[in-house]
Amino acid sequence: MTTRTSRRDEYFRDGFLSPVALLSRDEANHHREELERAEGALGNLHYVNKIHTVMQSPYDLATLPAVLDLVEELIGPDILLYSSTYIIKESGSEAYVAWHQDLTYWGLADDDAQVSMWLALAPATVEAGCMTMVQGSHLDGLVEHAEAPGDGNVLLLGQQIEGLDASAGTPCPLAPGEASFHHGWTVHQSGPNTTSDRRIGLNVQYVAPHNDQASGDMTATLVRGEDRFGFYRPEASPASSLDLDRANELFAADAAMKARYKTK
Ligand SMILES: O=C(O)CCC(=O)C(=O)O
């Protein structure tokens, strides 16, 4: 008799799950069009945090029942949506994401009660710069990062784990509508986009309400279960497909946050 490994077992063994099919190609295209319509009104939306608070499409994707069911398997029945960010590499862009771990600067109380989803809205092939994950690396906890801002590394502080080459990881190519889920200590990176299409992902971070964070004044949206702790202040949900006034406020807050981050 064969025993089936549960998604939870696989996630805590490897530090990630990929690919997870979530949307049809048409649904993924629809959400790409929503993003590109918003870009027509607002300009580039690459790396703007908490975009789900001003725009319906990322909110809808982050709260898909199939997504929350899987997140519940991984971090429990009470779920806060902490952030959502489009991560876009334009066609031919040399931008890359160096080897890193997401939780390096978070200061979480419970590192296992956080998970990150990356949902492809355009082909994320190896050539387009999909993510590569180091299997089992989450089991070692924090690895030392050097900070070297200035070249094409998308990460805010130019943080990077030195001494690893691309062959250290497992490539996680995703078709539009597929997602990966990774643990905050999983070492991962992604390369440049050498294709003729944009590479577009929606990255969404979830935490459990008990998971206090050492830094800052935090906000989040309760998307399943209950919050019996109150560590995260509630935040607005989008009132329309795109709230232009609040989007401009979000841009200003996001820019101020990034400036503070860089001068820490
Ligand atoms: O979009 C990428 O290439 C990297 C994303 C990433 O590092 C993450 O989702 O944690």
Side-chain angles (χ1 to χ4, degrees):
M1 197 178 88
T2 54
T3 47
R4 194 167 167 271
T5 309
S6 72
R7 297 193 291 187
R8 181 183 164 81
D9 290 346
E10 186 182 334
Y11 171 83
F12 281 105
R13 183 193 65 203
D14 295 342
F16 62 93
L17 292 170
S18 182
V20 177
L22 291 173
L23 301 174
S24 68
R25 186 62 73 108
D26 283 352
E27 289 166 333
N29 284 343
H30 164 75
H31 285 281
R32 175 177 178 162
E33 282 163 18
E34 288 294 300
L35 161 66
E36 291 180 339
R37 203 188 330 272
E39 287 178 319
L42 288 165
N44 197 325
L45 286 178
H46 167 69
Y47 232 65
V48 179
N49 285 295
K50 289 190 179 283
I51 195 72
H52 66 275
T53 60
V54 300
M55 195 177 154
Q56 193 65 43
S57 163
Y59 182 90
D60 290 346
L61 292 171
T63 57
L64 284 169
V67 170
L68 296 183
D69 288 348
L70 180 47
V71 173
E72 179 168 346
E73 283 180 49
L74 305 179
I75 70 168
D78 301 321
I79 303 173
L80 292 169
L81 165 52
Y82 176 65
S83 194
S84 62
T85 312
Y86 291 107
I87 307 184
I88 302 170
K89 288 183 192 153
E90 302 297 343
S91 163
S93 162
E94 291 184 1
Y96 67 96
V97 175
W99 287 113
H100 72 285
Q101 296 168 302
D102 293 347
L103 293 188
T104 311
Y105 304 103
W106 280 44
L108 285 179
D110 180 355
D111 299 332
D112 286 339
Q114 180 273 346
V115 62
S116 184
M117 171 177 80
W118 198 101
L119 171 59
L121 297 180
T125 56
V126 171
E127 296 74 24
C130 69
M131 279 194 287
T132 298
M133 313 261 186
V134 180
Q135 210 167 3
S137 52
H138 64 301
L139 299 172
D140 297 330
L142 177 64
V143 176
E144 189 180 341
H145 288 61
E147 289 177 7
D151 68 358
N153 183 1
V154 172
L155 299 174
L156 277 183
L157 298 176
Q159 67 264 38
Q160 51 198 278
I161 299 168
E162 294 172 318
L164 286 177
D165 67 28
S167 65
T170 305
C172 297
L174 298 171
E178 292 181 335
S180 58
F181 291 75
H182 66 270
H183 188 283
W185 288 131
T186 299
V187 173
H188 58 290
Q189 59 95 260
S190 69
N193 178 5
T194 62
T195 72
S196 56
D197 195 3
R198 315 176 80 191
R199 193 222 63 168
I200 305 171
L202 179 69
N203 171 245
V204 186
Q205 308 274 354
Y206 302 91
V207 289
H210 72 268
N211 207 353
D212 198 4
Q213 206 182 121
S215 55
D217 177 24
M218 299 159 312
T219 64
T221 303
L222 183 68
V223 289
R224 182 169 282 185
E226 58 177 325
D227 180 354
R228 289 171 286 113
F229 298 88
F231 294 138
Y232 296 77
R233 281 187 299 113
E235 60 195 6
S237 296
S240 59
S241 61
L242 179 62
D243 185 329
L244 287 176
D245 290 339
R246 286 207 6 257
N248 283 316
E249 285 169 25
L250 179 71
F251 284 4
D254 186 61
M257 183 276 287
K258 284 174 180 156
R260 277 197 309 277
Y261 202 83
K262 282 185 175 166
T263 54
K264 258 185 187 171

